[in-house]
Amino acid sequence: MINDPLSHWREMLYFLGFIAQSFFAVRFLTQWLSSEKKGESTVSPLFWKTSLIGSLLLSVHSVIQLQFAPCLIQAINGIIAYRNLNLEQPVQKRLSLKALITLFIGAIPLCALAFILQ
């Protein structure tokens, strides 16, 4: 067995996954309650904000736990949540499609770099 000096930190920070999942639970509950209140399916900005926070925390958790694929997936989910929040802005302030594609393409080497540095 390889002696991993970071294993203690990984165990201590394992709770980040629970916190991230809690944001996803809040996201679900706010969307559900908002839809019930209006009597139709709705998605509020809070839904996308909690999605973004949950994705970022789960990405960090994935890096700590040495899980590349979940890290990359959550980074992309975070970009999608950011884009959906951004679409609620006036047209002049919105992220362009080119910038969105750049973020998607940039997420791959950024996630890979986080794992290489470990």
Side-chain angles (χ1 to χ4, degrees):
M1 182 171 168
I2 299 173
N3 186 12
D4 182 8
L6 298 177
S7 64
H8 177 69
W9 285 104
R10 284 192 181 94
E11 290 174 14
M12 286 181 50
L13 296 174
Y14 202 77
F15 72 94
L16 282 177
F18 176 76
I19 294 171
Q21 290 300 333
S22 297
F23 275 96
F24 290 121
V26 168
R27 170 190 79 165
F28 167 76
L29 290 172
T30 57
Q31 194 270 339
W32 178 34
L33 294 173
S34 173
S35 294
E36 287 295 327
K37 184 177 178 181
K38 291 186 178 183
E40 63 184 25
S41 182
T42 61
V43 180
S44 70
L46 183 59
F47 177 88
W48 296 116
K49 290 175 185 175
T50 54
S51 294
L52 180 59
I53 294 168
S55 291
L56 292 174
L57 287 174
L58 209 48
S59 290
V60 171
H61 173 75
S62 297
V63 169
I64 292 167
Q65 298 304 321
L66 301 174
Q67 299 170 338
F68 179 72
C71 178
L72 188 58
I73 290 166
Q74 289 307 317
I76 290 171
N77 284 343
I79 293 167
I80 292 169
Y82 175 75
R83 173 63 171 172
N84 287 326
L85 264 175
N86 189 259
L87 287 173
E88 296 182 5
Q89 298 293 320
V91 175
Q92 306 89 319
K93 293 184 177 184
R94 288 185 187 168
L95 193 65
S96 70
L97 181 60
K98 183 178 179 181
L100 179 69
I101 292 170
T102 302
L103 281 174
F104 271 117
I105 293 170
I108 297 168
L110 188 62
C111 286
L113 181 63
F115 283 86
I116 290 169
L117 292 175
Q118 288 191 56

